Amino acid sequence: MILDEIRGLLARHARADLRTAVDDVLIFRADSPYPPAPTTYGRVFALIGQGTKRCAVGDRVYEYGPGEYLVTSVELPVSGYFARASAEQPGLGVGLTLDPSMVAEMLLREHPGDRPAPVDGSPPSAIAAGTASAELLDAVARLLRLLDRPADIAALAPLVKREIVWRLVTGDQGEVVRQVGLPDSGFSEITRAVSWIRDHYADRFVVEELAQQAGMSVSTFHRNFQAVTAMSPIQFQKQIRLQQARLQLAAEPGNVGGISRRVGYESPSQFSREYRRQFGAPPSRDGSRSTAGRPA
């Protein structure tokens, strides 16, 4: 069975740093369930070979297991974890970063002679889960087999990646994947707003100004932003601020006040309250715990 082969390849080639010899391909492994860990997902296709993974984005929760996958078309703050994994049956998965230029090329092949038209109406969510087709599983297996034949990677990996992207574009969750390659859609305007907030997470902003830059009314901007990210612009910024604060606290666990200001909080008490709500511990204790848990 193709999924059994994928499991074996993932188990054999999983490394602590997640990396593989194929560019933009990661293998992840979990030997036990672990608490939800806030992180950021970029434009990615992630397939589960074994175990069950849960991913929360805003008010949405996605659960996907063996032979199922998640796709994201915008860099989003998420909370993800393996809910089902053990030393005997570890959680195993593979991730492939989606290249916008490759997606755009596949769209042109899907619509030969025409420029793909933007999707009308509200943009789709930037994240979706689905069941992999037999053809998609076969392509993933062939990509992973290349790890056993390093000399073939440079010549064959780009071809198999293109096939995977084609299977995604023409598959059940193709609407989400297509947005990665559409530069002139309402979705791309929201993507630019998302990028601006992410890059300027410590700055105050006025939603009306972002809406104006996106060429939308405030109500339409709010609706489209929520549709794509499952969060309001303010909630999105807060998630990014808290994630950045946690990363900085791992390096400077005693500088809670300085870091709270650095990431954009004017009130230390508000920062501590929101940090504890997000991560389950106050920043002073969580920062020390993160430092203690880092390898020497």
Side-chain angles (χ1 to χ4, degrees):
M1 183 179 176
I2 194 72
L3 197 53
D4 290 333
E5 182 186 6
I6 288 174
R7 290 189 191 103
L9 288 163
L10 292 174
R12 186 158 67 250
H13 292 286
R15 301 184 345 187
D17 65 359
L18 309 183
R19 298 183 181 277
T20 72
V22 180
D23 290 342
D24 298 324
V25 175
L26 301 177
I27 292 176
F28 39 96
R29 173 180 177 139
D31 292 318
S32 64
Y34 50 85
T39 185
T40 299
Y41 281 9
R43 294 162 170 163
V44 70
F45 156 68
L47 174 80
I48 298 297
Q50 183 168 274
T52 301
K53 197 166 188 182
R54 291 198 186 109
C55 177
V57 183
D59 57 1
R60 304 172 193 158
V61 178
Y62 300 84
E63 182 173 296
Y64 54 118
E68 297 175 331
Y69 65 91
L70 195 79
V71 285
T72 56
S73 55
V74 172
E75 191 166 328
L76 294 173
V78 304
S79 180
Y81 66 106
F82 268 101
R84 190 173 302 159
S86 67
E88 296 75 22
Q89 290 190 315
L92 295 166
V94 57
L96 170 65
T97 301
L98 299 175
D99 178 1
S101 62
M102 188 181 295
V103 174
E105 180 187 348
M106 294 301 105
L107 291 177
L108 289 173
R109 291 184 180 277
E110 188 184 24
H111 304 277
D114 298 315
R115 189 163 184 241
V119 176
D120 294 329
S122 296
S125 170
I127 185 168
T131 299
S133 65
E135 295 80 8
L136 179 56
L137 289 175
D138 180 67
V140 171
R142 282 186 278 113
L143 184 65
L144 294 172
R145 284 177 202 146
L146 293 175
L147 297 174
D148 289 331
R149 299 190 294 274
D152 294 341
I153 289 175
L156 299 182
L159 302 177
V160 184
K161 287 181 187 177
R162 288 157 63 90
E163 180 180 347
I164 289 173
V165 171
W166 174 255
R167 300 297 180 192
L168 292 172
V169 165
T170 58
D172 292 341
Q173 303 305 328
E175 185 180 22
V176 174
V177 182
R178 287 185 186 95
Q179 302 302 324
V180 176
L182 290 176
D184 298 323
S185 63
F187 181 90
S188 67
E189 299 298 340
I190 296 300
T191 299
R192 279 191 278 272
V194 164
S195 296
W196 189 93
I197 295 173
R198 190 179 64 244
D199 294 341
H200 301 83
Y201 63 86
D203 300 337
R204 297 181 66 181
F205 67 87
V206 178
V207 174
E208 288 78 3
E209 292 179 358
L210 285 181
Q212 186 176 23
Q213 292 172 14
M216 302 177 190
S217 68
V218 173
S219 60
T220 298
F221 179 77
H222 264 290
R223 183 174 66 251
N224 288 351
F225 197 98
Q226 180 82 29
V228 170
T229 68
M231 288 170 269
S232 71
I234 299 299
Q235 289 171 327
F236 184 91
Q237 182 189 53
K238 183 173 76 172
Q239 293 289 313
I240 299 296
R241 282 180 170 180
L242 292 173
Q243 287 188 12
Q244 288 294 325
R246 198 181 204 197
L247 289 173
Q248 295 180 36
L249 280 168
E252 305 175 63
N255 189 21
V256 174
I259 289 172
S260 70
R261 291 189 295 273
R262 196 183 301 160
V263 300
Y265 279 88
E266 297 179 357
S267 167
S269 61
Q270 180 187 5
F271 170 69
S272 295
R273 184 169 59 253
E274 293 184 353
Y275 191 99
R276 181 168 189 163
R277 187 180 303 128
Q278 177 74 7
F279 300 115
S284 55
R285 194 169 75 205
D286 189 57
S288 300
R289 183 172 61 188
S290 299
T291 302
R294 285 184 298 172

